[in-house]
Amino acid sequence: MSVNLYNKLEPETGYKLLQLSDDLLDAFQTGPVKFKALSDDAGNVVLCSEDKTWVIKQRNHSNTVILMNEFAPTGGIPEDKINTFGLPRPGADWAGFSTLDSELEPRLVDGSIDVTQLDIYHGKDVPLTRKLTLQEFKDMCPCSEKEFVSKWFEVGGSVVQGFACLLSERFMLKALHIILISCMAENLDVDSLSIDKVADVLAKDVKQGEPNLYTHEIVTTVINKFGFKVESAETEPDDVRFRINMSLIARWYGVSALKKFAAKEPISEDEFMIQWKGQFPPYFHCDLDICMLRGYFVRPLTNKIRYMSRTTLSLDAKERFKQLFHWQSTWEQADMVPYISDLNTKNLKIDTFIIKYARRKRVGNKVIISAR
Amino acid sequence: MPSVDISVNQLIDIFAEDRDTPPTVSTSLGHVMIEIQGDLQHPQKSIDPALDVDSRFIEHEGNGLVRFGILSYDLETKHVTLFIGNKQRLMGSIVKIEPPLGLLKFDKADGTVSLRDVLKYKIIFKNRPLPIM
């Protein structure tokens, strides 16, 4: 088969070639895929399906790629005008409409949210300054819809006065506290909470003339963050229910208690447990164990604990170990791991990572870490 | 363009096709991809019809086109020969594109993006041109 080749004298612009990996091809087949231009300095672009995110990189090359399509020339060309070099007479005509020197290469990544673009809401009547709607913020994030929803509540994202913002830790805990008190007072089942119901209960308690700080959006954020969706055959599909995540709630109250009672001076473990228990709403029961707070405290003295934030520690591994041994001369491995795991960027086995910087020995059924 | 959906309206039938289609040079939507190592040079402007003795310049649907060669291919052997002008020829082959390439069209005027086709095979010329004897 032989073909006449033509090129447009004025090529068309706006064409790009995108490598279609199997997962991306599946995404195109099953639902909408969208381009998102990020507002970062590098001008990066991502592709997002319903539940996946790909970073796009343009790979340039030195070859000439001609995109052609079949066409039927109007009028035809006299046969004697075409030199066929002994080939059969061309049976088709192709016209090049665009020439490219690059391909777009997608790489599957975990979607992420850039929270630095948002105001932090402390529960006071202070106007937000950045004024991004939730949709505008979503469009800026290199994140698919499903990834966004799960990460949004995880970081404490909410909507106040119609704009996207982050709830401060203090306000989030305050809202959680009020929600738990209301659940106790109204005898709501904490294993099957309805956001609408909880928001109604809170709205009912607002005094006349006062603003409702615990709006439906705030309740949605808090319940999504501190709960799991539960599926039940008894409820309608639209009636989404949540089960409260007791261990997460216990940890949040525990960290708050550490900041309150053990930030300046070490406190005995027994006394801390009493203070921790005292933070919860009356009659609220959940199991407490100091192990839940690993990564938030050190033991500078025997049987005494002190709050220590990971964010205050060095990003250099050697320096970080030095700081940790300054506060506590010997560590149980399980207590130390949350303080160092972010430094293990090469994904080494944690035992191997630790012995690069410290001494590790087994005592009974515990592993004890000490300085070299 | 903070965010824009990629339209795939034209590709419903393509997606229904088996992913392991047999070798072909043009897609079912009539698109062909040719890759040449190096540059392909051809006239950028049409010339006076009186001087165009080979009828190389034609008009099609309002666009000026220039004929730059003849291509011959065999789907069984996957061998391809491209004659450029009267002096050069290139030997190439039909190869599978891994992964396939989506042909995207960005329309700046209305800010839309559409996936126009999925290319699974291309014609590639890896060698230097040979003279036509």
Side-chain angles (χ1 to χ4, degrees):
Chain A
M1 169 87 175
S2 54
V3 185
N4 280 319
L5 299 185
Y6 293 82
N7 238 345
K8 277 192 174 175
L9 293 173
E10 285 180 27
E12 292 176 34
T13 55
Y15 284 97
K16 294 265 183 199
L17 289 170
L18 169 68
Q19 294 179 3
L20 291 175
S21 50
D22 282 347
D23 48 6
L24 188 51
L25 201 52
D26 287 340
F28 271 112
Q29 284 180 255
T30 51
V33 176
K34 64 166 73 176
F35 263 113
K36 280 188 181 181
L38 307 184
S39 53
D40 58 3
D41 295 338
N44 283 326
V45 174
V46 293
L47 272 177
C48 296
S49 68
E50 183 65 17
D51 58 355
K52 290 193 179 82
T53 306
W54 295 264
V55 167
I56 300 294
K57 209 164 214 176
Q58 180 163 310
R59 296 273 180 214
N60 296 331
H61 53 72
S62 57
N63 292 356
T64 301
V65 169
I66 310 168
L67 297 173
M68 312 192 95
N69 53 14
E70 294 170 337
F71 78 111
T74 41
I77 300 135
E79 274 181 47
D80 61 323
K81 297 278 186 186
I82 300 174
N83 183 354
T84 60
F85 304 98
L87 297 171
R89 186 175 176 275
D93 298 270
W94 298 346
F97 58 92
S98 192
T99 303
L100 303 175
D101 58 3
S102 65
E103 282 178 13
L104 301 178
E105 182 186 76
R107 182 167 51 88
L108 192 63
V109 292
D110 282 334
S112 60
I113 293 182
D114 180 9
V115 292
T116 58
Q117 304 284 336
L118 295 175
D119 280 316
I120 294 178
Y121 179 66
H122 300 276
K124 291 174 191 155
D125 198 14
V126 179
L128 301 173
T129 54
R130 303 202 184 174
K131 298 199 184 304
L132 286 169
T133 65
L134 186 59
Q135 189 58 48
E136 285 168 343
F137 179 63
K138 241 184 228 182
D139 288 344
M140 289 165 60
C141 291
C143 204
S144 67
E145 181 71 26
K146 277 192 181 166
E147 289 171 305
F148 183 89
V149 170
S150 74
K151 286 177 197 288
W152 179 237
F153 295 126
E154 205 177 292
V155 297
S158 193
V159 174
V160 174
Q161 300 154 8
F163 301 112
C165 62
L166 289 185
L167 304 187
S168 72
E169 278 189 21
R170 185 175 286 188
F171 180 64
M172 181 108 76
L173 194 60
K174 201 172 158 190
L176 174 67
H177 197 75
I178 301 283
I179 288 172
L180 293 179
I181 288 175
S182 300
C183 290
M184 299 288 112
E186 296 285 329
N187 217 7
L188 300 179
D189 180 4
V190 292
D191 285 336
S192 179
L193 280 180
S194 147
I195 289 174
D196 291 346
K197 181 84 182 159
V198 174
D200 287 348
V201 167
L202 292 181
K204 207 173 65 182
D205 290 343
V206 177
K207 289 179 188 157
Q208 210 172 7
E210 283 187 10
N212 178 13
L213 292 180
Y214 307 105
T215 58
H216 194 281
E217 287 89 349
I218 300 288
V219 173
T220 303
T221 299
V222 174
I223 292 188
N224 270 282
K225 179 164 177 73
F226 292 101
F228 313 104
K229 274 186 190 166
V230 282
E231 293 191 7
S232 164
E234 295 163 17
T235 57
E236 296 291 317
D238 293 344
D239 182 17
V240 183
R241 298 290 174 137
F242 291 82
R243 175 185 297 137
I244 289 296
N245 181 347
M246 289 296 190
S247 62
L248 180 61
I249 290 175
R251 192 157 70 243
W252 266 66
Y253 274 96
V255 174
S256 167
L258 277 171
K259 286 178 184 171
K260 212 167 175 180
F261 302 107
K264 290 180 183 160
E265 295 294 330
I267 181 174
S268 83
E269 202 175 313
D270 291 343
E271 195 186 334
F272 173 75
M273 294 303 285
I274 293 166
Q275 297 290 4
W276 186 6
K277 181 76 188 160
Q279 297 298 299
F280 291 94
Y283 310 112
F284 182 81
H285 174 76
C286 67
D287 297 329
L288 304 182
D289 185 338
I290 195 69
C291 296
M292 289 173 163
L293 303 180
R294 279 178 174 147
Y296 293 95
F297 69 89
V298 293
R299 298 178 191 274
L301 299 164
T302 317
N303 291 329
K304 288 209 169 189
I305 59 170
R306 180 180 172 148
Y307 171 68
M308 189 160 73
S309 166
R310 267 170 283 186
T311 55
T312 60
L313 297 172
S314 170
L315 294 175
D316 174 66
K318 204 172 167 187
E319 186 59 29
R320 170 97 52 109
F321 274 89
K322 200 173 154 189
Q323 287 172 327
L324 292 174
F325 288 125
H326 168 77
W327 286 107
Q328 185 176 329
S329 56
T330 57
W331 288 72
E332 252 191 68
Q333 181 166 315
D335 285 346
M336 183 182 252
V337 167
Y339 277 115
I340 54 167
S341 52
D342 60 312
L343 299 172
N344 184 14
T345 49
K346 288 182 182 166
N347 260 342
L348 298 175
K349 199 175 157 197
I350 199 69
D351 300 357
T352 315
F353 179 71
I354 288 172
I355 57 173
K356 282 175 76 176
Y357 302 99
R359 187 173 290 146
R360 185 178 174 278
K361 69 176 175 189
R362 185 171 288 278
V363 178
N365 58 358
K366 290 179 182 171
V367 178
I368 302 298
I369 314 295
S370 56
R372 281 183 192 275
Chain B
M1 185 193 74
S3 156
V4 59
D5 275 0
I6 301 174
S7 157
V8 292
N9 295 344
Q10 304 184 17
L11 296 183
I12 305 301
D13 295 339
I14 301 269
F15 286 151
E17 284 176 6
D18 186 354
R19 287 191 187 180
D20 292 318
T21 49
T24 171
V25 283
S26 61
T27 66
S28 52
L29 293 174
H31 289 117
V32 181
M33 179 174 159
I34 294 182
E35 187 170 335
I36 297 171
Q37 295 201 336
D39 272 342
L40 177 71
Q41 297 194 340
H42 55 78
Q44 304 294 313
K45 286 180 184 170
S46 57
I47 57 171
D48 184 345
L51 301 173
D52 185 17
V53 289
D54 296 333
S55 296
R56 293 176 66 204
F57 294 89
I58 62 167
E59 282 281 325
H60 179 71
E61 294 178 347
N63 296 304
L65 301 176
V66 56
R67 193 175 72 249
F68 66 88
I70 288 185
L71 181 132
S72 156
Y73 65 87
D74 184 334
L75 284 177
E76 278 185 23
T77 62
K78 296 181 188 167
H79 289 160
V80 184
T81 309
L82 169 61
F83 295 89
I84 299 175
N86 290 318
K87 294 178 183 162
Q88 295 186 90
R89 72 192 155 109
L90 285 164
M91 309 300 284
S93 54
I94 301 166
V95 296
K96 192 170 185 181
I97 306 172
E98 282 292 353
L101 292 170
L103 178 60
L104 292 173
K105 171 71 175 166
F106 293 76
D107 193 328
K108 280 189 183 166
D110 58 9
T112 58
V113 184
S114 56
L115 182 64
R116 294 284 179 90
D117 205 346
V118 177
L119 301 157
K120 294 173 184 167
Y121 290 89
K122 66 180 173 185
I123 296 170
I124 186 163
F125 298 97
K126 292 181 180 172
N127 300 321
R128 287 169 179 274
L130 301 167
I132 298 173
M133 307 298 270

